[in-house]
Amino acid sequence: MAAMDAAADAMLAAASRAFSSTFAIAIQIQGCMICLILALGWAAASIVRKRTILNMRRKHVDGNSFSFLCDDIDELEHSFQENLPRVSVIMPLKGFGEHNLQNWRTQITSLYGGPLEFLFVVESKDDPAYHAVSRLISDYKDNLEAKVIVAGFSTTCSQKIHNQLIGVEKMHKDTKYVLFLDDDVRLHPGTIGALTKEMEKNPEIFIQTGYPLDLPSGSLGSYCIYEYHMPCSMGFATGGKTFFLWGGCMMMHADDFRQDRYGVVSGLRDGGYSDDMTLAAIAGQHKRLISSPPVAVFPHPLASDLSFSRYWNYLRKQTFVLESYVSKVNWMMNRALFTTHCYLSWGFVWPYIMALVHVLTALRAPYSKIVKEAFDSSCGLYLVGLLFICTLIELVSMWNLTKVEIQLCNMLSPEGPKVSLDSYNWGLVFIAVLVDNFLYPISAFRSHFSQSINWSGIRYYLRDGKISKIERENGSKYTDLGGKHLYGKRTYPPNKSLLGYLSRTLAQWHQPKKYDV
């Protein structure tokens, strides 16, 4: 036993000395810099969101009780509304989960005053989403232009892209803008109007997008997804031009699809795996503008039973998209993203591993001479203290941005369920930061060497950046984020029908209350 203790002490002393070398200190300082850069980026993003909040408050004070819908109350006049362009909202669906009905309600009860149609697209009538959304549409049939489209199975691209393209084929001939939404997007009443207004104001916009504010359900996996998305919030909080694109919300010109401008249809159809990465690559190749208005931030509730294994498969999907590409330049950009993200992820995690060794050395030093000698010649605790301060600054900045975005979401949906910061567990957030950054490079390398992914019961294989083979695995029970029962049905007690509740609340959405800041 004494021999084992001596060996452990020797290893700990050796590690302490190694982590006190010039190179190791540089790595630890680099980790601190990454923390501070993230904190600075989140602080800048919070300023952009706060400006939007302050602007809405000023409008309210000036007499615009509907500032959550529009900047100028005159835009609610019939003469203005009747000239708004037609928008087709296309939603590819897969499965039926706990948040779907609430999300769909926020989408179909939009307060956009122009012509608006909703196209829900499923792969087959066997999908539980088909029956659920059909009932919802039937419940709103007198107030809604909507239909369910059966797209069939994809053969040359991902199922989501296939559903989107079928929806585009079926959209109204007079549609000017098409809005692609994921079924887990919770819209604000004025979202479609705000996106359309920006498109009308600047015809040079190729795509408008937004940012999903994850609402963790309490599991470590849900916090890992929240942490994974938070760095992206900087790119979406520009108040305008951005290089980021989220496939959950994309508004585009309908004619770009009708005429296959820039190869948007062929690029997606012929082997496309990721809609947003493919379109972002096309935008970059043809120097087209991607924009993210400051009000385009959406609550994104994660499944209450989101397990760690489902988070891992989601991470695999996110790294797998870097293996798909539409051009040589796109491939080079993806390789650069792959290398940079892997380097920064482990560059962030290693200082914490070193800090743990420094702390263990300090705790063991009073009981071991060899460890005490290593501790006395080390500056480990100073580095631990520096890392602790930088981590605290980072977490406070993340907390502040989340608080601001939650406040903005609540202001943009005054009639909707309130989102609260109280549900966030910041201890789990810190653990998720370490876990996600540690696993990212592992997932990225696995995706690179496997060239295949199982997503929502479908396995895709890539060759030369495009889908070359599709296998459907009907034994899959859940999708990866929504907690959806893909091959089962969910029912509601007759006296507590959620659809009935949605029907009763429709009038409230179309007759907004006076907004009280």
Side-chain angles (χ1 to χ4, degrees):
M1 189 67 179
M4 292 179 62
D5 288 344
D9 287 342
M11 290 178 61
L12 183 60
S16 178
R17 292 190 184 96
F19 293 162
S20 297
S21 66
T22 302
F23 178 71
I25 291 174
I27 291 177
Q28 292 169 83
I29 292 176
Q30 175 186 259
C32 294
M33 293 301 297
I34 293 173
C35 288
L36 295 177
I37 290 171
L38 286 171
L40 181 62
W42 287 326
S46 68
I47 291 173
V48 174
R49 303 295 190 192
K50 283 180 180 178
R51 286 176 184 163
T52 305
I53 292 173
L54 292 174
N55 181 61
M56 290 177 63
R57 285 176 172 168
R58 281 195 296 266
K59 296 294 183 182
H60 179 73
V61 170
D62 292 340
N64 183 1
S65 300
F66 303 102
S67 57
F68 65 97
L69 288 179
C70 55
D71 290 333
D72 187 351
I73 198 170
D74 291 338
E75 294 177 7
L76 298 178
E77 294 290 339
H78 178 71
S79 58
F80 181 90
Q81 297 276 305
E82 66 179 358
N83 293 319
L84 290 173
R86 172 175 279 273
V87 176
S88 292
V89 182
I90 297 176
M91 284 168 280
L93 306 183
K94 181 74 172 180
F96 179 50
E98 61 185 297
H99 300 299
N100 279 133
L101 283 175
Q102 186 175 8
N103 295 336
W104 295 341
R105 173 175 66 89
T106 66
Q107 294 166 0
I108 65 176
T109 55
S110 169
L111 295 182
Y112 180 66
L116 185 63
E117 69 170 345
F118 295 88
L119 305 176
F120 296 89
V121 190
V122 297
E123 65 181 29
S124 74
K125 291 184 178 181
D126 293 331
D127 193 316
Y130 174 84
H131 302 286
V133 78
S134 295
R135 289 173 57 197
L136 182 64
I137 291 174
S138 176
D139 220 41
Y140 285 95
K141 60 184 178 181
D142 297 330
N143 303 282
L144 187 67
E145 182 182 344
K147 58 184 175 181
V148 185
I149 299 172
V150 178
F153 296 119
S154 63
T155 57
T156 63
C157 58
S158 70
Q159 187 66 47
K160 178 184 178 181
I161 289 177
H162 176 71
N163 289 8
Q164 290 172 326
L165 294 180
I166 293 297
V168 166
E169 291 178 4
K170 302 296 184 180
M171 67 184 175
H172 196 280
K173 62 182 179 62
D174 295 328
T175 291
K176 186 174 184 180
Y177 302 114
V178 55
L179 175 60
F180 297 106
L181 293 177
D182 281 354
D183 60 2
D184 56 359
V185 175
R186 186 174 294 176
L187 285 191
H188 306 296
T191 295
I192 298 177
L195 294 174
T196 304
K197 181 179 179 180
E198 291 297 318
M199 297 290 279
E200 290 286 280
K201 187 189 305 182
N202 184 2
E204 295 300 315
I205 294 176
F206 179 55
I207 307 174
Q208 276 207 99
T209 188
Y211 171 72
L213 173 61
D214 291 321
L215 307 177
S217 59
S219 67
L220 178 59
S222 67
Y223 278 100
C224 286
I225 291 173
Y226 161 74
E227 185 281 328
Y228 177 84
H229 285 152
M230 277 305 290
C232 299
S233 61
M234 306 174 199
F236 288 100
T238 60
K241 182 179 180 181
T242 182
F243 297 101
F244 288 75
L245 181 58
W246 176 47
C249 175
M250 301 185 300
M251 177 173 276
M252 301 180 65
H253 296 270
D255 283 344
D256 286 348
F257 287 89
R258 293 189 181 104
Q259 301 171 22
D260 194 16
R261 288 179 185 153
Y262 318 112
V264 293
V265 174
S266 54
L268 291 168
R269 180 193 59 215
D270 301 333
Y273 168 71
S274 170
D275 53 339
D276 48 13
M277 290 293 284
T278 300
L279 291 171
I282 291 173
Q285 180 180 353
H286 296 277
K287 297 181 172 56
R288 307 307 300 165
L289 176 62
I290 300 176
S291 177
S292 180
V295 295
V297 55
F298 312 108
H300 182 220
L302 298 174
S304 58
D305 60 346
L306 200 157
S307 65
F308 193 80
S309 62
R310 285 162 62 200
Y311 150 70
W312 167 250
N313 202 42
Y314 175 77
L315 184 62
R316 285 269 289 111
K317 176 181 181 288
Q318 298 306 303
T319 56
F320 188 71
V321 299
L322 296 179
E323 301 303 317
S324 64
Y325 51 89
V326 295
S327 66
K328 184 68 175 178
V329 173
N330 185 202
W331 177 84
M332 294 175 63
M333 290 295 296
N334 285 359
R335 292 303 94 201
L337 286 172
F338 176 97
T339 304
T340 302
H341 203 154
C342 287
Y343 175 82
L344 291 177
S345 289
W346 273 354
F348 178 86
V349 171
W350 265 106
Y352 290 95
I353 298 175
M354 295 179 178
L356 179 61
V357 171
H358 291 316
V359 171
L360 291 176
T361 301
L363 294 175
R364 183 60 182 166
Y367 309 102
S368 172
K369 182 178 179 181
I370 188 173
V371 175
K372 188 176 188 307
E373 290 175 354
F375 174 72
D376 290 341
S377 62
S378 168
C379 59
L381 287 187
Y382 293 103
L383 293 170
V384 171
L386 179 62
L387 182 61
F388 174 79
I389 293 172
C390 293
T391 301
L392 187 61
I393 293 172
E394 177 200 13
L395 290 176
V396 169
S397 184
M398 184 190 296
W399 168 84
N400 179 63
L401 175 58
T402 305
K403 181 188 69 172
V404 171
E405 289 181 334
I406 283 177
Q407 184 180 7
L408 178 58
C409 286
N410 287 333
M411 293 178 69
L412 290 169
S413 293
E415 298 287 342
K418 297 301 178 185
V419 183
S420 173
L421 189 67
D422 296 338
S423 61
Y424 286 73
N425 183 323
W426 293 95
L428 275 178
V429 169
F430 172 68
I431 295 173
V433 168
L434 298 180
V435 170
D436 184 65
N437 281 285
F438 176 76
L439 290 178
Y440 183 91
I442 298 174
S443 174
F445 278 102
R446 181 174 177 183
S447 296
H448 177 70
F449 288 107
S450 71
Q451 291 293 295
S452 69
I453 186 71
N454 182 321
W455 186 249
S456 295
I458 305 174
R459 180 166 292 277
Y460 300 101
Y461 296 85
L462 292 182
R463 179 181 297 169
D464 298 326
K466 296 184 180 296
I467 290 178
S468 61
K469 182 181 177 182
I470 300 175
E471 294 178 350
R472 286 177 165 77
E473 303 173 0
N474 291 334
S476 179
K477 184 178 180 182
Y478 297 105
T479 59
D480 299 85
L481 289 186
K484 303 172 187 177
H485 294 260
L486 293 182
Y487 302 100
K489 297 181 180 179
R490 178 173 298 195
T491 59
Y492 295 93
N495 296 331
K496 297 182 179 180
S497 170
L498 185 53
L499 290 174
Y501 167 75
L502 299 183
S503 178
R504 291 193 300 272
T505 57
L506 177 64
Q508 295 178 6
W509 279 94
H510 286 278
Q511 296 178 0
K513 300 175 183 177
K514 183 176 180 180
Y515 182 54
D516 184 10
V517 176

